[in-house]
Amino acid sequence: MTGIKIGKKIRLLRKNNDITQDKLAAYLGVTPQAVSRWESEICYPDIETLPQIADFFGVDMDELLCYDSVQKESKIKAYLEEAELLIENDKLGECLSLLREAYAEIPSSYEIQLELAGVLSAISAVGKPRRADLMEAVSLCNHILEYCTDDELRDETKKTLCDIYSHQIGNPQMAIDIAEKLHSMSYSKEIVKATVLTGDIAFNQAQRNIISFADNIWWHMYNIACVPDISENRYTTEQKIEIMQRGIALFEVIFDGNYLYYNDRLANSYRQLAMLYLSLGNRQTALECVEKMADHAIEFDSLADAQNYSGVLINTIEYDATKPEGSEAPSLCAKLLRGRFNARIWSSIRNEQRFVAAVERMTEYI
C-alpha cells in the first residue's frame, strides 16, 4: 500500500470528478456524514461497498485501494503460501487468523476471499458446524461470483459453494443447481487445446490430459469404493479391493513405473487396501500393502529435482518436486503416519515386525 490512504483517495476521486459528498452518498445508499467520515479517516467503507465506489468512479479496486499491482500480487502469493503450509500442518485456526488479516489488508483479492471461504468451511467440517462461519463463507463466494470476471476462479468458487451446500449446510439441491452452471467437460480449456489446436501445444496438452484424466479416474474409483457418504453399501469389501487394484493398474499403464508425484496416490491406495484386507482378516496381504505404502511414500518424499515423466504416453511432461524456499510442509510419510495407525483396525498387525519396520522407514522422512 502506498502512502495515500483510501479516505484520501475517495476524496481525491470525488474532487477530480466534481462530485459532491451528497451525490456519492445517494449512489451508495449511505449518508453524506458517512462519506465525510471516510474522507476524514475516522472510519472506512464496508468491504461490500468498495466495488460500488470503484464502479462509480470508473476505476479498478487496485487503484481505489492504492495498490501497486506487483506489490499486491507478491503479498497475495506470500499470504496464500503461508496459508497452504498451515493447512498442511492441520493448523486451521491459525490459518483462519492469517487469512482474516490478509483479507483486511487486501480486500480486493478474490483469491484470498476464496481461500478464506474454504477454511471457514473446513473448520465447520472437522468440528461442530458453526452457521455464522458457513454463512460468511457463502457470502464470500457470492461476492466473488458477483464481481470477479476470472472464469477459472469463478468455477473454483462454484465448486467450493457446492461443497458447502452439500456437506456442511445439507442442501443438496442447491449444490446441484450450482454444479449445473459449471462448464461441461467437453468445453474445458484442456479438451479444446488438445483437440482443436495443432502442433506442440496440442501434443503437450494431450499428454497433460492423460495424466489429469488418470488422476481423476483414480479419485472417482477411490470415492465410490472408500468414501462412506458416496459408496455407502453399494459394494462388497471384495469389490472395493478390486476397484482399488484397478486404480493402481491404471497408473501402471500410464506411468510405466516412473510415478514421481503420483506415488502419493499409490501410497494412499495401498493404505486403503491394507485396511480392506484387514477387515477380511487377511493380515499377510495387509502387511504387504503397508510395505508398498511405505515404498511409495518414501519415493514421493525422496523427489528433489525437476524431472520428466518417462512413460511413452507422457514423456514431455515435467514434474518439479522442489519446494518454495522456507517451505515446511509435512512430508507424505508424516501425513500418512500422523494419528492414522491408532485406529482399532490396525491392532492385529500393529506389533508385527513387518509393520513396525515399515513405520520406522517412513519415520525417517518426517
Side-chain angles (χ1 to χ4, degrees), residues 108-163:
S108 62
S109 170
Y110 299 121
E111 294 94 336
I112 287 175
Q113 292 174 35
L114 180 57
E115 192 73 12
L116 177 55
V119 170
L120 286 165
S121 173
I123 287 175
S124 288
V126 299
K128 183 179 180 181
R130 296 186 291 190
R131 184 167 181 80
D133 287 345
L134 292 174
M135 291 302 98
E136 182 181 358
V138 168
S139 177
L140 286 165
C141 289
N142 286 334
H143 182 267
I144 294 169
L145 293 177
E146 183 174 358
Y147 294 105
C148 179
T149 58
D150 184 313
D151 286 340
E152 190 169 346
L153 193 60
R154 288 174 60 83
D155 283 348
E156 187 65 30
T157 301
K158 292 173 186 175
K159 179 181 175 183
T160 299
L161 265 180
C162 282
D163 180 70

Side-chain angles (χ1 to χ4, degrees), residues 43-60:
C43 62
Y44 299 97
D46 291 338
I47 206 72
E48 299 291 334
T49 308
L50 294 176
Q52 293 177 273
I53 298 173
D55 286 344
F56 182 82
F57 290 115
V59 299
D60 60 27

Side-chain angles (χ1 to χ4, degrees), residues 139-347:
S139 177
L140 286 165
C141 289
N142 286 334
H143 182 267
I144 294 169
L145 293 177
E146 183 174 358
Y147 294 105
C148 179
T149 58
D150 184 313
D151 286 340
E152 190 169 346
L153 193 60
R154 288 174 60 83
D155 283 348
E156 187 65 30
T157 301
K158 292 173 186 175
K159 179 181 175 183
T160 299
L161 265 180
C162 282
D163 180 70
I164 293 171
Y165 278 114
S166 178
H167 295 101
Q168 264 65 274
I169 295 178
N171 187 339
Q173 186 56 54
M174 180 64 79
I176 291 170
D177 291 344
I178 295 169
E180 289 292 343
K181 296 176 183 177
L182 289 162
H183 296 101
S184 166
M185 184 187 298
S186 299
Y187 298 99
S188 69
K189 64 182 181 182
E190 291 84 3
I191 294 291
V192 170
K193 287 171 67 176
T195 58
V196 176
L197 302 182
T198 58
D200 290 344
I201 292 176
F203 183 84
N204 183 264
Q205 186 64 58
Q207 289 206 338
R208 289 184 182 279
N209 287 354
I210 288 172
I211 293 178
S212 178
F213 295 162
D215 193 34
N216 274 281
I217 292 170
W218 178 86
W219 272 112
H220 289 310
M221 288 179 165
Y222 183 91
N223 286 341
I224 65 173
C226 303
V227 177
D229 60 355
I230 297 177
S231 63
E232 296 180 346
N233 297 315
R234 293 181 172 92
Y235 293 111
T236 65
T237 301
E238 290 82 0
Q239 287 174 321
K240 291 178 180 179
I241 288 172
E242 181 182 352
I243 291 169
M244 295 307 298
Q245 288 174 334
R246 289 190 181 195
I248 292 170
L250 173 65
F251 281 135
E252 290 172 349
V253 169
I254 301 300
F255 293 95
D256 290 349
N258 182 29
Y259 303 105
L260 300 183
Y261 172 81
Y262 293 90
N263 279 291
D264 172 283
R265 306 294 190 253
L266 291 170
N268 280 287
S269 294
Y270 281 113
R271 175 182 172 275
Q272 197 66 39
L273 277 171
M275 290 191 290
L276 290 169
Y277 280 116
L278 285 173
S279 71
L280 295 176
N282 189 337
R283 295 167 56 219
Q284 292 307 309
T285 306
L287 284 167
E288 291 175 10
C289 290
V290 170
E291 290 171 334
K292 290 178 179 178
M293 174 195 71
D295 292 340
H296 286 289
I298 290 168
E299 183 71 21
F300 180 89
D301 287 341
S302 298
L303 296 171
D305 302 316
Q307 52 188 299
N308 271 43
Y309 290 98
S310 58
V312 66
L313 293 172
I314 52 174
N315 57 9
T316 67
I317 308 304
E318 182 181 77
Y319 168 61
D320 186 357
T322 58
K323 298 178 181 178
E325 187 176 352
S327 171
E328 297 178 359
S331 68
L332 176 58
C333 288
K335 287 191 282 188
L336 288 169
L337 290 174
R338 188 168 50 212
R340 295 190 177 185
F341 291 111
N342 296 325
R344 182 178 300 176
I345 196 168
W346 300 102
S347 59

Side-chain angles (χ1 to χ4, degrees), residues 17-31:
N17 288 277
D18 195 24
I19 301 295
T20 65
Q21 289 183 342
D22 287 354
K23 185 174 180 179
L24 177 58
Y27 174 82
L28 299 173
V30 301
T31 65

